[in-house]
Amino acid sequence: LKVAVEAGNGMGGPIMRQVSKAVPELEWSFSHDRADGTFPHIVPNPLEEEYQQFLTDFVRRSGADVGIIMDGDGDRVLLSDENGELIPSPAVAALIGERLRNKLGPDARIAHNLACSWVVADRLGDRDRVDSGGPTAITPVGYGKIKRIMHHDRSIAMGAEHSGHYIFRDFWRADSGVMAGLQMLELAAELKARRQTLSEILQPLREKYIQSGEINFALPAGRSFQDTAAKAVEKFADRAQRIFVSTADGCKRVESYPPADVEMSVPDVRLEADDWWFCMRPSGTEAREGVICRLYVEAFGDRELMESRRDELVDLVGPEYRM
C-alpha cells in the first residue's frame, strides 16, 4: 500500500513518521513533514480548499493508494482516495464505525453531530432513532460536547464531527486524527489485498449523498442569527419530517423553531425533509462584530435538488453576505 502524508509543517509530520517506522510494510511518502509553527507554506486547516489541493496534487504525483492531511496539532484528519479525491468526513465516520462494530460487537453505537451527512445514520443505524437510543446518536456540534456525552454514555464507541474530529471511547474518549487515519489505512490495505480501491467502495456513497459543503455568511451587526434560522425553518416547515436543536445534554427533536418548551444551549438547528436536509448554526470559533452563519445542505441522490434548496437558503440568508 502506498501512503501519501501531507503534513503542512504541523505535528502530523513527526507523528506519522513514527508510524511509518512501526509499519515499514507500507510505502510512505511525506510532504512538508518538518514541524514548523510559523507554517511557511500554508496554514494546515483540512477544511481549506488550498490545503486540500496540496493533498490531491501530492497523491497524484506519488501514485499513492490513499492520502492523509492533518491539522497543525494532529487532532483532525482528512483523507483522499487513490485519485486524490477527498473523502467526506462523515463517510470516513461510517467506514470506521463499521470496522469498530466488527471488532467491538453490534451494540457499539456511533455518534455524529448535527451537521453530519445522513451516510452515518443510513449505513449504521436509523434516521428516525438518532435521538432515542438507536444504533447511531445525533449530538451538538463541538467535539468537547461529544466527549462529555460519551463520558455519560459508555455505549457510544466513537463520536464524529463533520470537521474531521474523531473521538474514541477506548482511547480515553479523546479525539485523534492519527487513530482515525490508522483505521482508514487498515481498510485501504485490506482493499488493496483484494485488488480493490477506496474509490470503488466510495462511489455508491458519493452518488447517494450530495453535499453542499460548508457555506459561510458574515451577518451584519445587529442581525439576529436565531431570527434568520427561524425564517429558514418556517419556509420549509410543511416539508419537515424531523427538526433537531442542541441542548445542554444532547440534541432534541422539536416541533418548531425556536421551540417553546425546550431550552437550547446554542441556536443551532437541523431540519430534515424526506430526501434532503439543512443545518444552520452560528460559528463557535470565529468572532467578529456580526455573527458568522454556517449553512450545510444535503440531498439524497439528487444534485439538482441539493442545488435548488441550497440556492433558496442562500437567497434567504442573503447572497451579499456570503464569505
Side-chain angles (χ1 to χ4, degrees), residues 86-99:
L86 278 297
I87 307 172
S89 295
V92 171
L95 293 172
I96 294 176
E98 286 182 332
R99 302 185 68 76

Side-chain angles (χ1 to χ4, degrees), residues 60-134:
R60 291 172 179 172
R61 287 199 311 271
S62 62
D65 299 297
V66 59
I68 300 175
I69 51 174
M70 307 181 79
D71 67 350
D73 57 355
D75 63 348
R76 281 189 295 154
V77 67
L78 191 64
L79 297 105
S80 82
D81 63 20
E82 74 282 0
N83 299 315
E85 187 172 351
L86 278 297
I87 307 172
S89 295
V92 171
L95 293 172
I96 294 176
E98 286 182 332
R99 302 185 68 76
L100 288 178
R101 285 220 181 125
N102 288 336
K103 295 175 181 179
L104 302 174
D107 293 334
R109 300 173 70 220
I110 308 300
H112 59 88
N113 76 13
L114 207 67
C116 268
S117 164
W118 264 331
V119 66
V120 183
D122 287 355
R123 200 168 177 99
L124 302 175
D126 180 347
R127 292 182 194 178
D128 203 45
R129 297 178 58 209
V130 294
D131 62 329
S132 56

Side-chain angles (χ1 to χ4, degrees), residues 236 297 303-313:
F236 298 106
V297 184
R303 179 165 296 279
E304 288 187 4
L305 176 62
M306 184 281 288
E307 292 174 348
S308 174
R309 296 293 178 260
R310 177 200 63 196
D311 293 347
E312 288 180 84
L313 286 159

Side-chain angles (χ1 to χ4, degrees), residues 80-294:
S80 82
D81 63 20
E82 74 282 0
N83 299 315
E85 187 172 351
L86 278 297
I87 307 172
S89 295
V92 171
L95 293 172
I96 294 176
E98 286 182 332
R99 302 185 68 76
L100 288 178
R101 285 220 181 125
N102 288 336
K103 295 175 181 179
L104 302 174
D107 293 334
R109 300 173 70 220
I110 308 300
H112 59 88
N113 76 13
L114 207 67
C116 268
S117 164
W118 264 331
V119 66
V120 183
D122 287 355
R123 200 168 177 99
L124 302 175
D126 180 347
R127 292 182 194 178
D128 203 45
R129 297 178 58 209
V130 294
D131 62 329
S132 56
T136 59
I138 192 168
T139 71
V141 174
Y143 64 93
K145 298 173 184 177
I146 297 177
K147 291 177 183 180
R148 187 162 59 246
I149 290 169
M150 292 175 66
H151 270 286
H152 292 288
D153 188 344
R154 289 284 299 173
S155 70
I156 300 176
M158 182 185 76
E161 285 264 273
H162 67 289
S163 59
H165 281 287
Y166 303 92
I167 304 101
F168 297 93
R169 180 188 66 195
D170 298 331
F171 191 60
W172 297 279
R173 292 172 293 280
D175 54 317
S176 173
V178 176
M179 293 285 287
L182 292 178
Q183 292 278 346
M184 288 297 290
L185 290 185
E186 186 179 62
L187 170 61
E190 292 173 4
L191 292 172
K192 180 90 171 183
R194 299 198 299 264
R195 300 181 183 275
Q196 288 182 281
T197 63
L198 279 169
S199 64
E200 287 179 54
I201 67 165
L202 288 165
Q203 189 60 32
L205 305 184
R206 287 170 170 156
E207 292 174 353
K208 286 181 182 178
Y209 302 97
I210 314 298
Q211 302 172 44
S212 67
E214 183 175 274
I215 303 171
N216 292 303
F217 304 85
L219 299 184
R223 180 170 173 182
S224 164
F225 167 84
Q226 185 166 298
D227 288 348
T228 302
K231 289 178 181 177
V233 172
E234 181 181 8
K235 180 177 179 64
F236 298 106
D238 61 331
R239 307 171 206 185
Q241 297 296 314
R242 293 168 289 271
I243 302 173
F244 297 102
V245 297
S246 297
T247 66
D249 58 353
C251 285
K252 301 291 185 187
R253 192 182 306 198
V254 297
E255 297 299 321
S256 61
Y257 179 91
D261 55 348
V262 173
E263 183 177 349
M264 297 186 294
S265 56
V266 289
D268 303 2
V269 63
R270 175 180 174 121
L271 182 148
E272 297 185 355
D274 280 332
D275 50 3
W276 70 279
W277 61 265
F278 80 85
C279 173
M280 194 176 286
R281 66 185 189 88
S283 170
T285 56
E286 295 183 56
R288 57 172 66 201
E289 187 178 358
V291 173
I292 293 178
C293 170
R294 305 201 194 283

Side-chain angles (χ1 to χ4, degrees), residues 12-24 28 30:
I15 294 170
M16 295 307 292
R17 279 283 184 185
Q18 291 297 315
V19 172
S20 71
K21 293 176 183 178
V23 193
W28 297 84
F30 288 86

